[in-house]
Amino acid sequence: MLNEKCIEKSGVITFKEAIIAELEGVGFTNYYLQIFDPNCKLERRIDLLLKVIGMNPAILGYAYTKEAIKIVFEKSSKTVPFCDVYIDIWKKLDVKKISSVERAIRHSKEMVLKSLKPEMKALIFGNPNLEKMENNTFVHSLAVFLNSFEI
């Protein structure tokens, strides 16, 4: 989805310039464009993305969502059953109950979807009116978005 106004105003531009203009139009500053830099560490890119979408780093769902994105991103060539992702997080982060992982991701996701601007929802999830989605769709969408562009 490219910003037609940007293209009309500036004439012929490259795909990279169009993507940067689109991202800047929904709130990505140059600082946040590091998200798409393949030379930037994956953990940093995920942190920046979660910050851009407004996820609170002080809640457990942030850490669990971050880990889930990392797992899905690293196994992008395979279909990952999401129950396996919960189990991996449960083991790695030494959580008492697997259900706590699911619940924390769901809570943080719901907070993000309530507060995220429609333009950002459209850019990341493809739907500006999105209010609900499954945890696996949320995490997979963020992982795909991270992998979408190299700027």
Side-chain angles (χ1 to χ4, degrees):
M1 159 190 1
L2 298 178
N3 189 335
E4 288 84 13
K5 291 178 186 174
C6 170
I7 294 172
E8 289 172 11
K9 287 180 185 176
S10 62
V12 178
I13 60 173
T14 66
F15 180 72
K16 178 179 175 179
E17 291 169 330
I19 292 299
I20 290 172
E22 181 71 23
L23 293 170
E24 288 173 342
V26 295
F28 282 84
T29 61
N30 282 332
Y31 176 74
Y32 290 113
L33 290 176
Q34 295 175 60
I35 292 169
F36 306 106
D37 182 356
N39 298 318
C40 191
K41 289 184 177 181
L42 180 59
E43 289 220 10
R44 172 114 173 102
R45 294 171 65 200
I46 295 170
D47 278 329
L48 288 169
L49 178 58
L50 294 178
K51 190 172 181 181
V52 160
I53 65 172
M55 189 173 286
N56 184 349
I59 59 176
L60 281 174
Y62 181 94
Y64 300 162
T65 302
K66 179 178 173 179
E67 194 61 36
I69 293 169
K70 196 160 85 171
I71 291 167
V72 169
F73 190 88
E74 290 170 347
K75 297 180 180 181
S76 63
S77 61
K78 305 174 190 170
T79 304
V80 183
F82 217 68
C83 58
D84 291 351
V85 173
Y86 292 142
I87 292 169
D88 288 350
I89 295 168
W90 172 66
K91 288 178 182 175
K92 184 173 182 179
L93 301 180
D94 196 29
V95 182
K96 289 183 181 179
K97 296 180 183 177
I98 294 176
S99 62
S100 298
V101 175
E102 184 278 329
R103 190 171 33 258
I105 291 174
R106 180 171 24 94
H107 175 68
S108 59
K109 169 200 68 185
E110 288 170 356
M111 289 174 45
V112 164
L113 291 177
K114 282 181 187 175
S115 63
L116 199 60
K117 293 179 184 176
E119 298 85 12
M120 191 72 85
K121 286 181 186 178
L123 183 67
I124 296 173
F125 304 110
N127 181 352
N129 303 314
L130 190 64
E131 292 181 18
K132 292 187 177 209
M133 67 188 331
E134 299 293 325
N135 286 357
N136 64 335
T137 306
F138 179 73
V139 169
H140 279 93
S141 296
L142 293 174
V144 166
F145 186 73
L146 271 178
N147 208 18
S148 296
F149 312 108
E150 288 185 5
I151 294 179

